[in-house]
Amino acid sequence: MKIKTFSVKNFKSVGVNELSFDFSENIIAIIGENNVGKSSILHALDYFFSGIKTMPTKYFHNFKTEQANAITIEVRFDNLSESDKEHQAIKTYLST
C-alpha cells in the first residue's frame, strides 16, 4: 500500500485552509516552526489508519467557538492489494 496524496482540514491546528501533500517522492520531510501543525498532520494520518469513526471534539479546529467545521481527512492510495482493501480504515471508505 502506498499513499499517493493526503489532505486534511479543520483538524487540531490545521484550519479551514486545506493542507495537501503529494507522496510521489519516497521521502517526505515536514519542516516548520513550533506550533504550526507538523504533529497535527501526523496525528491525522494516525487517526485515519486507526479506523475509528467518531472523533473527540478536542480534535476540531474551532471546537471552542460557534463555528463548527467538519474535519476532512482524505487519503488517496496507489496500487492497493486485495488485502490492503480489507484494512479497517480503508474498507468502509473505499471508492474508485
Side-chain angles (χ1 to χ4, degrees):
M1 168 184 343
K2 182 175 179 183
I3 297 174
K4 187 176 181 177
T5 61
F6 166 73
S7 63
V8 62
K9 71 179 182 179
N10 294 318
F11 183 81
K12 297 179 86 174
S13 64
V14 179
V16 295
N17 295 324
E18 182 179 86
L19 240 108
S20 298
F21 296 90
D22 181 357
F23 284 79
S24 59
E25 300 296 325
N26 289 329
I27 297 175
I28 301 293
I30 302 171
I31 301 169
E33 294 182 24
N34 292 340
N35 298 317
V36 295
K38 299 180 301 290
S39 295
S40 294
I41 295 161
L42 298 175
H43 288 149
L45 270 171
D46 185 46
Y47 206 85
F48 175 84
F49 283 107
S50 75
I52 299 170
K53 299 198 181 354
T54 58
M55 199 166 291
T57 55
K58 67 180 182 179
Y59 289 153
F60 286 78
H61 178 68
N62 288 323
F63 82 95
K64 291 183 180 178
T65 70
E66 294 179 15
Q67 295 178 337
N69 292 306
I71 292 172
T72 304
I73 301 172
E74 184 177 295
V75 182
R76 293 183 185 256
F77 297 95
D78 196 16
N79 300 322
L80 284 174
S81 70
E82 290 305 313
S83 64
D84 292 337
K85 292 176 184 178
E86 294 300 316
H87 188 282
Q88 65 181 358
I90 296 170
K91 185 177 183 177
T92 306
Y93 301 107
L94 192 61
S95 64
T96 54

